[in-house]
Amino acid sequence: MATSLNFTATQVSTQPPELCLRRSSFKSKLSSPRRPKFVSFAVNSTEPSSPEPANPEIDLEFIAPRAGDDGSYPVERARAISGEKLLRNIMLDNKIELYATYGKVMNCGGGGSCGTCIVEIIDGKDLLNERTNTELRYLKKKPESWRLACQTIVGNKENSGKVVVQRIPQWKK
C-alpha cells in the first residue's frame, strides 16, 4: 500500500562542547555559553494517499511441445510487467521448459548466438518487439511466427494483453 509522507519541522539544539582551546593560552578553559544553533529534521507521518498507477501486465500462456497422456497439450501460465523482461527470462524465472535436450547443454545463455531458444508465437505478436537482426539471421528460413526467446521483449511498458507461446515448435508435428 502506498503512503504519502508529511514532514513536520522540529527544532534541535546543537550546543557546542563546553571546553574549547584558546590560541592565546593553549589551555582548556570553559567558554562562555554560545547561542544555540537550530537544525531541522523530518518526522515521518503515514497518511494514505492515492494509489500509484499500476504497470501494465502481459499474461502469457505456454503450450507444451507434446501432448499429454489424455491427448491434450498442457498449458503453463505466467504474468509479466510489460516491457521489463525478455521472454527467455520469464520462462526461466517461472521454471517453464525452454530448451530441447541439446539446448539444455549447449545454449549460449541468452546471447543470441546459438538459436536453441526458438519459440512460436501463436497469438499476441503485436505485444512483442520486432524481430532483431540476430533473429533475422538465425530464423531467415523459418516461419515468421518463430522467435528467439532471448531476443524477444514482452510488451513495451504501455501495452497489456495476452501472448500465447508454443514451446519448442520444431518438435510439433
Side-chain angles (χ1 to χ4, degrees):
M1 181 172 133
T3 59
S4 68
L5 301 177
N6 294 327
F7 297 100
T8 308
T10 307
Q11 296 179 348
V12 176
S13 173
T14 55
Q15 198 68 324
E18 292 299 320
L19 297 174
C20 70
L21 183 63
R22 295 199 179 222
R23 291 182 185 196
S24 60
S25 66
F26 294 105
K27 292 182 182 176
S28 249
K29 295 183 180 178
L30 290 175
S31 65
S32 61
R34 293 191 180 181
R35 192 169 158 199
K37 295 179 183 175
F38 294 98
V39 176
S40 295
F41 67 95
V43 177
N44 186 354
S45 171
T46 57
E47 291 180 10
S49 67
S50 62
E52 295 178 19
N55 293 330
E57 291 185 339
I58 305 289
D59 292 315
L60 296 121
E61 288 185 359
F62 298 94
I63 302 170
R66 302 226 167 128
D69 294 336
D70 63 354
S72 66
Y73 288 85
V75 175
E76 296 181 70
R77 291 176 172 77
R79 180 173 282 171
I81 295 174
S82 182
E84 285 197 357
K85 285 190 172 185
L86 293 169
L87 186 57
R88 174 187 187 273
N89 296 344
I90 294 168
M91 292 178 77
L92 294 177
D93 290 349
N94 287 283
K95 297 178 179 31
I96 297 171
E97 182 182 21
L98 171 60
Y99 299 107
T101 306
Y102 173 78
K104 290 177 183 175
V105 178
M106 301 300 289
N107 72 74
C108 66
S113 61
C114 69
T116 60
C117 61
I118 294 174
V119 295
E120 182 177 6
I121 306 303
I122 305 296
D123 190 27
K125 178 183 174 186
D126 56 320
L127 298 173
L128 308 173
N129 64 317
E130 297 292 322
R131 271 189 173 187
T132 64
N133 290 337
T134 302
E135 287 179 289
L136 293 172
R137 184 174 64 244
Y138 277 100
L139 303 174
K140 63 184 165 191
K141 295 182 180 178
K142 303 294 184 193
E144 188 66 30
S145 60
W146 286 24
R147 300 290 305 267
L148 294 178
C150 69
Q151 301 291 305
T152 306
I153 300 170
V154 178
N156 66 7
K157 296 192 185 250
E158 295 174 2
N159 58 9
S160 61
K162 179 178 171 183
V163 176
V164 180
V165 179
Q166 171 71 56
R167 300 178 324 186
I168 315 173
Q170 58 272 34
W171 284 5
K172 190 173 73 173
K173 294 183 182 182

